[in-house]
Each structure stands twice: as structure tokens, then as C-alpha cells.
Amino acid sequence: MRKQLILGSFLLSLALLSWLFWPTLPPAPPLIELTGRTMGTTYAIRYAGPAGRQARDQAGVDSVLLSVNQSLSTYIPTSTISRINASTDVGVPLPIDVHFRTVYLASTAVYQDTDGAFNPAVGPLVEAWGFGPERRQTMSQARVDSLRALVRFEAFQLTADSLHLTKSVAGAHLDFSAIAKGYGVDEVGRYLKASGIEAYFVEIGGEVVVRGAHPAGRPWRVGIDRPIEDAVERQLQAVIELERGGLATSGNYRNFYWLDGQKFAHTIDPATGYPARNSLLSVSILAADCMTADAYATAAMVMG
């Protein structure tokens, strides 16, 4: 009995010593959230990081998004894309930047892969139907046909040095709105990674890219809205768990208007020149990056 008591006391003492000197894990860094407005919508960024870096990261993210907008926004008259659209010089090399070149090359690949369902040269029609910076025009079949003659993505070509773009049709316009948000999401993700952040969630207007796990040790959860027109409160169709990659949703249930009893949504079919008409209300695409997901989501809405 005495040996058992001694052994029991020894084991209890050992357990107490182990508890006292066992190395404790450092507390998980707090979840930081950055929010703001860009590209006509809102953004939200979440990641784990040490306290005190939020202001610096906010400024860095806003700087990245400003740079992307100065390249790709048709709402900024001095942007790279606006200067190219305004030019009527045929065959003259027009300077471009790295954002523009990256998105142009990605757009070319998706354009070819979807047989033109995704076509950034649809810009003249987007504006005429009232979904761009210009005022909506009075549309007729003759007007649609005349604008369709300008919808030629092949009219834009990179020069040999890849630093300039030429136009072969003076009135041709580009519109990267169906891919620019996804690219902006990816650029913010690249900025965070370069800043030493290994796990993050980036969302701009519903377009998302994630990397790594949530600080709670689970995947990031991304809600996909139920496509309900004029919904008062947000309702979810599904929740997707992601640890890497991009998710983009395109739909015809938010950006639209009614005219003479007909619904006109913002997704323009380059083949017809009219807003796409099919049974789809919403499409969500998963891809390795958000830019690719964004472009294919639009292509899917066009193809039906």
C-alpha cells in the first residue's frame, strides 16, 4: 500500500510539473478586417496579423486598387482604357501599363476559348444600352447593327514589345468590367502575400479570392446570394468552403432596368447586340484565380 501511495504521489507531482513547464502556444493573431469602396461597389478583406498594421495595410490596399482603376476603369477619363477608347488613330501604337496588358492577354484567352461569348470589345453596346459611363441611347435594330460592326476584339493588337496597343477600327471600344473586379481581387491578394500574409480573404462586389485557412483553423466560407430581384434582405443560395482559389458570380437580377414591359440586364450578348436573354439568373464559377472565374462567369451568362 505504501509503495502505491508513493507511486501515486510521484505521478501526481510529475503531472503538475509537466503542466507548469509545458510550453504554451502563443495566442492566435487577431482577425483584421479592412473595408472600403472601389469600382462602384464595396470591398472587404480579412486576414490574421499582428496588431498595429491595419492602417498600413489599408493604405496599401487602396493604393493597389487606385492603380488598377487608373488602368481599367471606363469611368475615369484619364485611365489607360479610356485613352485607348477615345483615340481614333488607326495603327498608331498607344501606350499601355502592366495591369492593362495582363487583363488584355487573359481576355484574349477566354475570348478564344468561349468562341467570342466573352468579348471586351462589346464596349460600344454596353454604353449604348446604358450600362456604362455614357447616357443610354434610343436603340433600334439599325442602331444595334451599326454598333455590332464595331464589336471586334481582333481590332486591338499588342505591338511586338508588348508595351503598346494598336486599333484597326477607329470607333472600337474596350470594356473590361466583366474581368476587372476579379483582377483587382487577385492584385490585392498578391499585395497581401508580398506583405507576409499567408492566409487571407479578399472580396470586391461579391468576387472572392482566398488563400490558406481561416484563423479559426477552418476553410473560409463564402456565401452565394440567392438570385432574387429587388430583395430587401440578403438570402443565401449556398455557402462554399474554400482554402485556395477564386470564386466569381455573375447575374442578371441586380443590374437591370425595365423599358416598355421588357427587362434589359447588363450582360450583353456580342452575337446579337442585345442584352442576353436566357433562363439563367446567376452563375458562379470556381477557378485558380478570381480574374479567370470572373470572365468565365460572364461568358456563361451569355451562353445560357
Side-chain angles (χ1 to χ4, degrees), residues 35-55:
T35 59
R37 294 196 62 84
T38 187
M39 301 181 183
T41 185
T42 59
Y43 71 77
I45 300 163
R46 300 180 185 92
Y47 60 92
R53 64 175 296 163
Q54 184 168 350

Side-chain angles (χ1 to χ4, degrees), residues 120-247:
V122 78
L125 286 164
V126 171
E127 292 187 5
W129 283 109
F131 296 107
E134 302 299 326
R135 195 170 179 178
R136 187 173 76 214
Q137 301 177 17
T138 300
M139 301 299 284
S140 63
Q141 187 61 56
R143 181 62 180 150
V144 169
D145 290 342
S146 67
L147 291 173
R148 280 184 60 209
L150 303 176
V151 182
R152 294 172 52 193
F153 193 47
E154 295 86 351
F156 300 89
Q157 294 291 328
L158 281 179
T159 56
D161 61 6
S162 296
L163 299 177
H164 298 80
L165 195 76
T166 61
K167 298 171 68 171
S168 61
V169 178
H173 284 196
L174 288 170
D175 187 325
F176 286 137
S177 59
I179 192 172
K181 273 195 300 182
Y183 175 72
V185 168
D186 291 335
E187 279 294 280
V188 171
R190 282 188 279 269
Y191 164 80
L192 294 174
K193 187 175 185 301
S195 300
I197 298 169
E198 294 298 329
Y200 53 76
F201 168 100
V202 180
E203 177 261 336
I204 300 178
E207 320 295 35
V208 173
V209 73
V210 306
R211 179 184 174 89
H214 187 280
R218 58 169 174 80
W220 297 96
R221 292 170 183 157
V222 185
I224 296 176
D225 287 346
R226 181 166 293 169
I228 302 174
E229 295 177 0
D230 301 322
V232 177
E233 294 183 358
R234 184 185 184 193
Q235 298 182 40
L236 294 182
Q237 181 72 30
V239 176
I240 305 295
E241 291 194 336
L242 291 177
E243 290 191 0
R244 193 177 189 90
L247 172 68

Side-chain angles (χ1 to χ4, degrees), residues 131 250-252 255 265-269 274-277 298 301-302:
F131 296 107
S250 182
N252 282 337
N255 191 5
H266 74 287
T267 304
I268 308 300
D269 185 347
Y274 285 84
R277 293 182 179 133
T298 298
M301 286 302 301
V302 170

